[in-house]
Amino acid sequence: MDLSIFMEYSWVLIVLIVLEGLLAADNALVLAIMVKHLPDAERKKALFYGLAGAFVFRLLSLFVISFLVNVWQVQAIGALYLFFISLNHIIRKVFIKKATPAENVVMDEVREPKKASFWMTVLKVELADIAFAVDSILAAVALAVVLPDTPLPSIGGMDGGQFLVVFLGGFIGLIIMRFAANLFVGLLHRKPGLEIAAFVIVGWVGVKLAVYTLSHPALAIIPESFAKSTGWKLTFYIVLVSIALIGWFLSKDKEEHEKVQDVLETHGVKEQA
């Protein structure tokens, strides 16, 4: 494989790992809240079963999307979805303020008389993991589809190298969610601006997928060569790194309960009556 292609693939994989880590921190905190009523042994099993199911779902979804990735309607839906989750998070985070303290939300959950059974909790974790997986796969595909072709055999409609990058990104995201999420939660606690930056990056990735869609031969709204041009790629990654740096340097420390409240609000966890 050409060195320049190898470096480009490596860079995209690094970006995916960092983005997966930041997103996995929020996801892991939500999952921890969902299983906290279980005994320690069952809690670990519930998370394991949920993550195992999420891995199978991601793998199957990746194979399906590899056959659909070149359909411009699918690309357009993916771009719109990335825009939605980005704007939804930022609006909830920045503009929507709830009067109920996060401590009360968590304590009400703890005092709730009816606790979900072990297998019902596993099902809830499974569904949450699937929702997280959709975000992860779409962001990864949006980054990978404009990578240059490799000598690896195609899988579905996707180049083998592109497929491998998306697979590794999703697989590493699961590992981070299972084993390293606490490190990223701590990082987001110290630098909360990175959370907003991560979802701004998700929206920016949506822009990349939108550009790729508009350059599809079936639409040809912009030249097909533009989406794969060096100038556009450099612009995309310069903006991406700038967003991350701005999120890092403009972050201010905040209390842990505020972090919990933001995450709960983002994922729609509401106070139980």
Side-chain angles (χ1 to χ4, degrees):
M1 183 184 297
D2 185 83
L3 180 60
S4 62
I5 295 179
F6 176 78
M7 294 299 294
E8 188 171 354
Y9 270 76
S10 299
W11 169 244
V12 169
L13 185 57
I14 291 172
V15 170
L16 271 177
I17 291 172
V18 174
L19 186 58
E20 288 277 1
L22 293 173
L23 297 178
D26 276 359
N27 300 346
L29 184 52
V30 172
L31 296 182
I33 292 172
M34 294 174 68
V35 302
K36 68 181 182 327
H37 66 279
L38 296 173
D40 287 343
E42 290 189 351
R43 186 183 307 154
K44 293 178 181 178
K45 287 181 179 179
L47 289 174
F48 174 79
Y49 292 152
L51 291 174
F55 176 77
V56 173
F57 175 81
R58 288 189 185 211
L59 188 59
L60 293 176
S61 299
L62 183 51
F63 275 103
V64 171
I65 203 170
S66 69
F67 286 93
L68 302 176
V69 69
N70 289 321
V71 179
W72 74 264
Q73 292 91 340
V74 174
Q75 297 171 2
I77 292 172
L80 290 174
Y81 182 74
L82 291 176
F83 290 146
F84 169 75
I85 61 174
S86 175
L87 290 175
N88 182 59
H89 177 93
I90 293 170
I91 289 172
R92 286 177 177 273
K93 176 87 172 180
V94 177
F95 299 106
I96 297 179
K97 303 293 184 182
K98 292 188 177 181
T100 304
E103 299 96 322
N104 292 344
V105 176
V106 175
M107 290 306 296
D108 285 343
E109 231 180 56
V110 172
R111 297 191 189 108
E112 190 180 359
K114 293 183 179 180
K115 299 298 183 184
S117 66
F118 171 76
W119 288 110
M120 182 58 66
T121 300
V122 170
L123 177 61
K124 290 180 179 179
V125 171
E126 198 76 63
L127 294 175
D129 281 330
I130 289 174
F132 300 149
V134 172
D135 304 347
S136 171
I137 290 172
L138 284 176
V141 169
L143 285 171
V145 289
V146 294
L147 287 170
D149 293 338
T150 67
L152 297 176
S154 297
I155 300 177
M158 187 181 294
D159 176 83
Q162 297 172 359
F163 183 92
L164 184 60
V165 166
V166 177
F167 173 79
L168 288 176
F171 181 70
I172 292 171
L174 284 175
I175 294 176
I176 291 173
M177 195 186 301
R178 177 64 181 87
F179 297 106
N182 286 340
L183 297 177
F184 282 90
V185 169
L187 177 62
L188 289 178
H189 173 54
R190 291 188 293 107
K191 296 288 185 180
L194 285 177
E195 185 176 352
I196 293 180
F199 280 89
V200 173
I201 289 173
V202 169
W204 182 234
V205 171
V207 171
K208 185 174 187 178
L209 185 55
V211 168
Y212 188 74
T213 303
L214 294 174
S215 68
H216 193 282
L219 296 177
I221 295 176
I222 61 177
E224 185 178 3
S225 58
F226 175 78
K228 297 184 178 182
S229 66
T230 302
W232 165 239
K233 289 179 181 180
L234 286 175
T235 301
F236 174 80
Y237 286 113
I238 288 172
V239 172
L240 186 149
V241 172
S242 299
I243 294 170
L245 291 176
I246 290 172
W248 177 273
F249 288 111
L250 293 185
S251 291
K252 296 179 181 179
D253 291 337
K254 64 178 180 179
E255 296 299 324
E256 183 65 22
H257 72 83
E258 292 177 331
K259 170 62 184 171
V260 173
Q261 183 178 18
D262 291 336
V263 175
L264 290 174
E265 291 176 357
T266 297
H267 294 281
V269 179
K270 298 180 180 179
E271 182 178 6
Q272 304 293 322

